[in-house]
Structure formats: C-alpha cells, structure tokens
C-alpha cells in the first residue's frame, strides 16, 4: 500500500474510532438537556397556573432542570392541550392537564382537535382540589344570602338574574355549576372566561355574582374578605376552610360532588424512560414536607402517582363526567 493511501486509511480509521468513542456519551446525554416547556391551558392566576408554577419552582432547584411555564388559554383548555398533543414526543413539551381537558371536554364538545386518551402519555397526577362556591360579598349582603339554601331560594325567585362565572367551557368549575343548577332546579347565566384569574377579578368587582372556583385560586380572596365562601363541592369538608360545609351537607343534596384534579401529560410516543424520570422527580418534590404543607394550606392535596395509575384514573374520570354532562344537558359546539 502506498504511503499516502496508508495515511488516508489511518486518518479515516482514527476518525471512525473517535466517533464510536463519542457515541455512548451522546446516547447517555442525561434528560433534561435543555429547558422544558410546560403549557398551562388557562390564563395566569388560576389553580392550573398556580400548581404549574409550584412544580416548575421545585424542579428548578435540581441541577439541569429548567421548566418554563407557557400560558395558552382558550376553548376550555383545548387550545393549550392541542399544542402539546401535536408537539414532538421528546419530553420537552408537557401539559398541566385538568379534569376539564382530560375528563370532561371529550363529552362536552362536539369535536376535539385531539384525542385526550390516544394523543397523550400520562405522567403523574399533581394534585386533587375541591371547588368552592363563592359569591360577591356585596351581592350576598344585599340579598341576605348567608347559606347555600339562601342562594337556592334567591335563584328560584330570580331565574336568570345571577351571573355565574367560570374559567371556561368544559372546566370542572363550569360543570360544578351546571350540576348545581340541575340538582337545585335553578337557572343562572353562565359566563365562561379564559381562566380563573380574569373570572375572579370580575367576581370580586361585582360584574359576576357566583362562581364554583377551584379552592387554591380563591383562597386569598376568601381570606381577605373579597369573596364569600358558602360551601365546598367535594364529598368531605376541606381542612383549609374550617367551618365551611359541603354543598351536599348544606343543601341536602347527597348526590352532589364535583372536585377537580390536575396532572402532567406528555405527547403520546414520549420515551417511557423520560416519562418515568419526570414522574420520579415530580413525585419526590410533591412529597417534600414544605411543598405538601404549602399546597394543603391552599386547599390542594398533592398526589404524585405512577403513570399507570394516572392513566387508569383518567379513564375512570372520563366515564364519570360523561354521565354528568349527559344528565346536565350541557353542550359546547
């Protein structure tokens, strides 16, 4: 072999060996290697946003974890959910899903641009949250409404004169109100917003009179006296609101229960090892005493279950809320 040819072969061999030596390092590149986009399908200030930012803040304490919260509100959470459903399945675009996006909307909307089951890979349920029936204090005082029974009596005597705000069509906040209207045979006018934040602003300001909000986003306004809490929508009273009964107790409606939940999901096809990596770090963060206490003080109960458990839970919730939507007659085209 000529010297020049030997030199070329040697160089090619050296380059090939170098590439092979580097490949395992590239293959073992740890996740995450760049910032993670966490899409919140509602406006800032609501419970979905509060929980997403709490998770992002905890993960930011870990080396290499940088989670950027991106609010994409609209269509009851469907706009943000669709963005994630169509994103690359690489673990760098996640959704803070809700009972609305993944339990209710499939039954409420005539057609969705995504499949809540087939287009997503569940990671973990972040928190379970009761809703709370809150009123504008001036409205309550003016009409002598101090209990759920008072509200029912006023609504029956004044059909269509109560404005009921929600964080959007298809949310548990909306459906909690629809279920209440069905079971109490009352009529309140529904006004859907693009999240709890703007809805609460109008409720506290007096444009709206009633809302069945997620407890964490209403808590500060309740404590400051800007909202009046009548009851929670869960099966049991919330330790975060001592003395506030459930709607079932206060109104004599034993079948009434409409709680919310929030959880992380990735696009379908995301590698299982990435899914489990995210679940492990999020579950560990939610299990930290300081985090648990902070969320519980706002009325949220941290969960952190496995992807398999969360997937089974979503399937059960889809069936449960399909019945609620059917019974209430609610529909969004």
């Amino acid at each position: 072999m000529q010297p020049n040819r030997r030199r070329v072969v040697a160089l090619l061999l050296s380059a090939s060996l170098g590439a092979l030596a580097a490949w395992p390092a590239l293959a073992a590149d740890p996740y995450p290697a760049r910032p993670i986009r966490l899409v919140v399908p509602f406006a800032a200030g609501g419970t979905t946003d509060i929980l997403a930012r709490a998770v992002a803040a905890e993960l930011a304490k870990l080396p290499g974890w940088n989670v950027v919260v991106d609010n994409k509100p609209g269509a009851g959470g469907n706009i943000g959910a669709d963005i994630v459903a169509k994103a690359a399945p690489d673990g760098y675009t996640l959704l803070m899903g809700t009972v609305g996006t993944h339990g209710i909307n499939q039954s409420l909307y005539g057609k969705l641009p995504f499949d809540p089951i087939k287009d997503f890979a569940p990671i973990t349920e972040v928190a379970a949250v009761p809703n709370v029936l809150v009123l504008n204090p001036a409205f309550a005082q003016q009409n002598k409404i101090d209990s759920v029974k008072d509200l029912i009596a006023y609504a029956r005597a004044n059909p269509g004169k109560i404005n009921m705000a929600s964080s959007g069509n298809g949310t548990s906040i909306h459906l909690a109100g629809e279920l209440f209207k069905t079971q109490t045979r009352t009529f309140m006018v529904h006004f859907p917003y693009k999240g709890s934040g703007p809805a609460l602003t109008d409720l506290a300001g007096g444009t709206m009179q009633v809302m069945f909000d997620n407890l964490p986003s209403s808590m500060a306004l309740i404590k400051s006296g800007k909202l009046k809490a009548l009851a929670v929508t869960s099966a049991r009273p919330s330790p975060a609101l001592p003395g506030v009964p459930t709607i079932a107790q206060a109104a004599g409606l034993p079948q009434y229960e409409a709680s919310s939940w929030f959880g992380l999901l990735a696009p379908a096809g995301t590698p299982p090892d990435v899914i489990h990596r995210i679940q492990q770090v999020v579950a560990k963060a939610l299990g930290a005493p300081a985090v648990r206490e902070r969320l519980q003080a706002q009325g949220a109960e941290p969960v952190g279950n496995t992807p398999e458990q969360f997937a089974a839970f979503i399937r059960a919730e889809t069936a449960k809320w399909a019945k609620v939507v059917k019974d209430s007659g609610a529909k969004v085209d």
Side-chain angles (χ1 to χ4, degrees):
M1 184 180 293
Q2 297 298 321
N4 285 342
R5 290 185 62 190
R6 284 199 297 268
R7 189 177 299 112
V8 171
V9 171
L11 288 172
L12 290 174
L13 182 60
S14 175
S16 299
L17 290 173
L20 288 172
W23 184 83
L26 291 173
D29 191 20
Y31 174 90
R34 63 179 191 268
I36 299 167
R37 179 191 187 194
L38 176 53
V39 175
V40 172
F42 296 98
T47 299
T48 317
D49 183 68
I50 290 171
L51 291 174
R53 293 182 188 278
V55 169
E58 287 303 310
L59 296 188
K61 298 176 183 178
L62 302 174
W65 285 79
N66 180 14
V67 181
V68 179
V69 176
D70 187 7
N71 296 86
K72 295 293 182 183
N78 291 336
I79 290 176
D82 189 45
I83 289 171
V84 178
K86 293 176 172 57
D90 54 12
Y92 290 99
T93 304
L94 307 178
L95 176 73
M96 181 60 80
T98 70
V99 62
T101 61
H102 283 76
I104 296 173
N105 288 1
Q106 190 170 2
S107 298
L108 188 69
Y109 285 78
K111 185 178 181 181
L112 292 179
F114 59 88
D115 187 308
I117 302 297
K118 295 179 181 178
D119 292 341
F120 292 88
I123 299 173
T124 188
E125 183 183 353
V126 171
V129 174
N131 289 357
V132 57
L133 170 55
V134 284
L135 274 62
N136 173 274
F139 165 76
Q141 183 177 17
Q142 180 181 352
N143 296 288
K144 298 181 175 58
I145 300 175
D146 291 313
S147 68
V148 180
K149 287 185 177 180
D150 290 342
L151 175 63
I152 294 170
Y154 178 85
R156 286 175 177 170
N158 299 274
K161 292 186 178 180
I162 298 177
N163 292 339
M164 182 185 79
S166 84
S167 56
N169 285 314
T171 62
S172 70
I173 295 169
H174 171 205
L175 265 293
E178 294 297 337
L179 185 62
F180 181 83
K181 287 157 62 177
T182 298
Q183 293 195 5
T184 59
R185 302 184 306 282
T186 56
F187 174 64
M188 296 181 281
V189 182
H190 175 226
F191 287 85
Y193 286 73
K194 289 186 177 181
S196 283
L200 289 170
T201 297
D202 280 359
L203 181 62
T207 306
M208 297 289 117
Q209 287 83 50
V210 172
M211 188 170 173
F212 292 76
D213 191 37
N214 300 144
L215 182 51
S217 49
S218 281
M219 183 65 79
L221 293 171
I222 293 170
K223 289 184 174 180
S224 67
K226 293 180 180 179
L227 291 180
K228 181 181 180 67
L230 290 188
V232 292
T233 67
S234 49
R236 294 183 297 276
S238 172
L241 281 180
V244 176
T246 67
I247 286 179
Q249 294 169 334
L253 300 171
Q255 300 303 313
Y256 188 94
E257 193 272 327
S259 295
S260 299
W261 52 262
F262 306 81
L264 290 175
L265 301 104
T270 300
D273 59 330
V274 172
I275 295 292
H276 284 278
R277 170 73 173 142
I278 300 170
Q279 188 275 332
Q280 287 169 0
V281 296
V282 172
K284 185 175 181 180
L286 293 173
V291 177
R292 293 190 68 85
E293 289 172 11
R294 186 164 70 248
L295 293 181
Q296 287 171 339
Q298 297 182 65
E301 188 62 39
V303 182
N305 55 5
T306 67
E308 295 76 17
Q309 290 169 332
F310 189 29
F313 177 71
I314 290 173
R315 289 193 295 271
E317 284 289 284
T318 300
K320 167 189 167 181
W321 285 102
K323 184 178 186 306
V324 173
V325 169
K326 182 180 178 180
D327 291 347
S328 71
K331 205 72 180 174
V332 177
D333 294 324

